[in-house]
Amino acid sequence: MPVVCATNLSEFSVRATQAAAAIAARLREPLWLLGVLDGDHPSPEGPSSHEDARARLLAEASRLSSPDLSVETRLLEGPPGSVLLHDEFLQRARLLLIASEGWGPVSWRRAPLYERLAQRAHVPVLVVRRNGDSLRDWALGRRRLRVLVGADDSRTSEAAVAWLHELRRVGPCDIIAASVCSPVEERERLGIHTPVHVEMLDPVVRRIEVLDPQVERVLLRELGERVGALPGEGSLELHLEPGFGRPADHLLHVAHARDVDLLVVGNHQRGGLARLWHGSVSAGVLRHAERSVACVPPTQAHVRASVPPRAVLVPIDFSEASARAISEARALVRPGGRVHLLHVRRLRATDRAWVMDQYGVVPEPPREQSLVMERLKALVPHEDGAQQVQWTMEGVTGDDVARAICQATEREGVDLVCLGTSSARGDAGYLNDSVARALVERCRRPVVVLHA
C-alpha cells in the first residue's frame, strides 16, 4: 500500500514531500505525489498554469526518487478537497501526508483543507507543520521521534493507539500516552470514597481538584491496558492530565509542555449536527497544534481476538444463586486469571440521609468488613482446579446495588460480570431480576446472568 503526499506545488509543501519520501522509503512502499492545481484559490507561491504545475510536479518527483524509492505522480485540477477525496490513489493508500499551509483561505464557513480531509478520508492523515524536518530526520534514522497520543476508552482512541505500531515500524519513537480526566467524575465512576484535595493554581479564582492516589492508580492501570505492549524501539510513558472543559486544550498543553514532535489523535468523523453537539477533539487539535498532527480514522482499530476473560466479578448475596455464579465464573476465567467476589451491604432508608455521599458508597465499618470477608472466604471452592485461579474479595456499602457493582467493575478492571439471580425473599436474596436488568443497562462490561 503506497504512501500518498498531496502537494500544492509550492515551497509550503516541501517539508511534507520530503517527510513522505523518507517514510515511504523506510516502509519500502512506493510514494505517490498528488499535485493539486486549484484555479479558484491559487497560492501566490504556486504554479501559474497547467504546464508550470506539470513541470514542478515532475521536478519534485525527480528530486525525491532514489534507488530505494519509486515515485509516481498525478496532477489534479479543481477544488483540493473534492479531487483528493475522490482520487483512486488515495483510496488505496497506507498514509496521506499534507502540509498545513498554502491551501487557500480559511473562514468560519470553510474549514482548513487538512481538517476536511481528516474528516472524510479512510486513511490516517498526517498534517506536516513547520517542524516537518524532524519527521524526515526520524524516518532517515537520524533521531528518535517524540510522540504524544491521546488515549481514552473510545473506539477512535483505540485506532490512534493501534497506529502507534505503524510508527514504530518506521523508526524508534518515545511515546507519551496521555489521558485527560476529571477528578470529580472519576471518583464517582470508581466509587472511591476519600477526602477531596483541592490545589490552588491562582490565588484569586483558579482551583482544581487533585487526583486521589487511589483514583490515580486505577487510571494508570486502565491507561496501560489501553496502550498495551508496543513493538519496536522506544520508551513509553503514561501521563494523566486532570482537567475540565475541552480535552483538546489539555492535550495541546501537554504537547507544548513536553515539546513533542508529533501529536496523534483519533477521529470520530462525525458530520453535521452530531459534530456540533458532541464537539471534536481532533478538530481542536488540528487547528491549534504547533507541531505536526496525525489524525487516525476509526477504521484503523485492531480487531480483538476472542479469548477467555482474565478477570470476572461475581456479586454475592450469600444465596444459592451466588454459589452457582461462582462455579460459572471459575469455568469462564482463563487459567491464572482472577475471580473477584463482591458483597454489597444495602443501607436501610433511615441510614441513607446521614451516611451516604455523592459517590453512592461508603467504606464498610471494620467489624462488618471482617465478618463479610470471612463469609466470602468460605465461598471459595477448594476442589481440584480451584487454586489455578486467584480469588479476591471486597465488601462495600451502598444504597444502589447495581451502581455499586458497576463502580467495582471499573475499580477492579474486570472483563466480565457473572450474576446469579435469586427468587428468594429477604436480605439473603436481593440480587433479583430487577438488579440484573439495571446492571445490564448500566454496566460497561459484558454481563452474564444466571436466572433462578
Side-chain angles (χ1 to χ4, degrees), residues 305-319:
S306 178
V307 294
R310 55 184 172 76
V312 178
L313 184 142
V314 182
I316 301 295
D317 62 0
F318 299 109
S319 67

Side-chain angles (χ1 to χ4, degrees), residues 292-316:
S292 298
V293 177
C295 200
V296 185
T299 53
Q300 296 291 313
H302 279 178
V303 177
R304 294 180 178 177
S306 178
V307 294
R310 55 184 172 76
V312 178
L313 184 142
V314 182
I316 301 295

Side-chain angles (χ1 to χ4, degrees), residues 12 15 100-101 127-134 290-292:
F12 293 115
R15 291 187 180 92
S100 61
E101 300 176 283
V127 181
V128 181
R129 299 194 187 273
R130 296 185 179 183
N131 69 321
D133 292 343
S134 61
E290 301 172 345
R291 302 300 177 96
S292 298

Side-chain angles (χ1 to χ4, degrees), residues 120-180:
R120 298 177 58 190
H122 298 294
V123 299
V125 177
L126 176 49
V127 181
V128 181
R129 299 194 187 273
R130 296 185 179 183
N131 69 321
D133 292 343
S134 61
L135 294 171
R136 179 201 61 198
D137 293 342
W138 159 69
L140 292 173
R142 298 173 182 170
R143 55 163 294 173
R144 301 165 79 93
L145 196 69
R146 194 169 180 82
V147 181
L148 174 69
V149 60
D152 56 26
D153 60 353
S154 66
R155 183 166 172 256
T156 57
S157 173
E158 181 181 345
V161 170
W163 194 67
L164 297 177
H165 295 234
E166 188 82 353
L167 284 181
R168 285 277 183 93
R169 292 189 184 98
V170 177
C173 301
D174 294 328
I175 294 170
I176 304 170
S179 176
V180 180

Side-chain angles (χ1 to χ4, degrees), residues 12-32:
F12 293 115
S13 291
V14 170
R15 291 187 180 92
T17 56
Q18 291 177 344
I23 291 173
R26 193 64 177 260
L27 291 172
R28 299 186 179 182
E29 299 282 8
L31 172 64
W32 290 351

